[in-house]
Amino acid sequence: MTLLERYIFRRALISSAGALVSLSLIVWIVQALSRIDIVKTSASAAGNILWIALMLLPDLAAGVVPFAILIGAIQTLNGLNADSERAVISASGGSMMIVARPILLLGFLGGLLTLTVAHGLGPMASAGFYNGIRSINVDTITVFLRPGRFERVQSDLVLSVGESNGGTIKSLFIQDTRDPQLDLTYFAKEAAIIDNEESPVLMLFDGQLHRKERESGSISVIEFQTYAFDLADLKPATEERWTRTSEQSTLQLLTPDVNDPSYQRQPGRNVEELADRFTSWLYCIVFALWAVAVAGQPQTNRQASSAAMTFGLAGAIGLKALGFVTLSFVGDNPSSAVFVFAVPIVAAILDIVLIRRGLNFAQLAIVQTIVDWPRRISLMLGRRSKAGPADSAGRAGS
């Protein structure tokens, strides 16, 4: 790269890094706050939640990398125009490639980072996150249940405690309707969690078990002194696979166990996850090209630079939304994965065509009209405010 290209690349890299940190923190805080309500009684639980929330960062950061590159590139190009540097480059005979090459290099670096997360760090972090959620489900009774309230741990599992003191529980109630043939209701004066080598067990003391058969409606009551409730059953009682595709490595997705019932039921899930991992990096390059297309042309200081950012973000959001829509079809129709690849590739070709044609978005009539709206509205309001006192004075004189 030439000295000028290194200068543009350095500015774009700094702006993109700042945007990446800001966007990642905003999205991460929102995700973390949505789960902070389960931290109620234990400082160690708060530490666990913080660690679990940190596992969200790799995927969240990878998801906003394309937008960070777009924002950083447009800010850099707008800065070059604001300082008249872009006009000097053009006047001295510099081609568009002098501006496009460092921005495109930034897009490739962002794509490399996204690929690394998608095929390496991302699945490991996702597995750590969901394993933490599962461990929270196991410790729900002693840590997260508030005394006197009925909490729905799952759609078919309701728990309530009268009092919780460390690992000891007073007045425990459990309603378990996950079995399609039986409704189970547990009452216990005391309970405690015992960690076995295989799985944790909730020991119930001095209570009753009410069993109701749904078909016949008959009820049987069993009194017990001790009863073991297996906490390992606290997992989503749905048809979804317990190990999600996002937790599996790319090699596992490419070579699935054909005898796995969940894979036999929904083989398109693997294809959907693979399509997402192999196309997410392309958006970094597409958004870099789009930034050059909307903000790479030389402009004067009087031309609004906000139009480039507005059109850049609008186009990027629209393209990403289209990518999500096409990806959503892959789970039911794996052959539609070709459209997931087609969306960013076609968009990149269109961006290259726009750059080669030298189309200046700021000079388009529709852009000028949109940018001029605030000025027109302010002039209209100013005229009305001036006409108001004059009209009132006229009425007073008459």
Side-chain angles (χ1 to χ4, degrees), residues 368-383:
Q368 293 293 330
T369 301
I370 294 175
V371 171
D372 200 39
W373 277 353
R375 185 183 65 83
R376 292 182 180 181
I377 293 174
S378 62
L379 289 176
M380 186 182 302
L381 295 176
R383 291 171 184 173

Side-chain angles (χ1 to χ4, degrees), residues 106-124:
L106 180 64
F108 275 106
L109 291 178
L112 181 61
L113 174 62
T114 305
L115 271 176
T116 302
V117 173
H119 297 281
L121 185 59
M124 291 188 293

Side-chain angles (χ1 to χ4, degrees), residues 1-14 16 69-70 72-74 76-77 80 86 89 95-110 284-285 287-289 291-292 296 355:
M1 285 194 299
T2 63
L3 179 63
L4 182 57
E5 290 173 344
R6 289 198 298 271
Y7 167 72
I8 297 174
F9 175 78
R10 183 171 63 253
R11 289 187 58 173
L13 179 62
I14 294 174
S16 298
I69 291 174
L70 175 73
I74 293 179
T76 299
L77 296 174
L80 293 177
R86 181 67 184 91
I89 294 173
S95 66
M96 174 66 80
M97 291 305 299
I98 294 179
V99 176
R101 268 195 296 265
I103 302 299
L104 189 57
L105 176 60
L106 180 64
F108 275 106
L109 291 178
C284 296
I285 300 174
F287 285 9
L289 291 170
V292 176
I355 293 172

Side-chain angles (χ1 to χ4, degrees), residues 226-364:
T226 59
Y227 188 94
F229 187 89
D230 190 2
L231 289 180
D233 290 336
L234 289 181
K235 63 181 182 180
T238 64
E239 295 183 356
E240 300 296 331
R241 65 175 70 197
W242 182 230
T243 302
R244 293 166 172 81
T245 53
S246 60
E247 303 175 60
Q248 302 179 38
S249 66
T250 302
L251 180 60
Q252 289 175 319
L253 294 174
L254 290 172
T255 58
D257 182 7
V258 294
N259 296 321
D260 184 2
S262 59
Y263 173 76
Q264 293 176 349
R265 185 169 56 249
Q266 291 180 315
R269 290 291 185 87
N270 285 42
V271 181
E272 180 181 352
E273 181 67 23
L274 287 170
D276 185 31
R277 294 186 186 183
F278 281 105
T279 58
S280 57
W281 70 280
L282 293 174
Y283 287 93
C284 296
I285 300 174
V286 173
F287 285 9
L289 291 170
W290 178 238
V292 176
V294 298
Q297 297 294 332
Q299 302 179 39
T300 64
N301 290 333
R302 295 184 177 182
Q303 292 174 318
S305 60
S306 60
M309 185 65 74
T310 302
F311 265 82
L313 288 175
I317 293 173
L319 181 65
K320 195 64 175 176
L322 180 60
F324 280 128
V325 171
T326 55
L327 185 63
S328 65
F329 293 120
V330 178
D332 297 325
N333 184 13
S335 61
S336 62
V338 63
F339 296 104
V340 180
F341 288 87
V343 169
I345 293 174
V346 172
I349 294 174
L350 292 177
D351 290 341
I352 294 173
V353 172
L354 293 174
I355 293 172
R356 291 182 63 87
R357 294 187 62 179
L359 179 63
N360 192 338
F361 278 82
Q363 297 298 327
L364 295 178

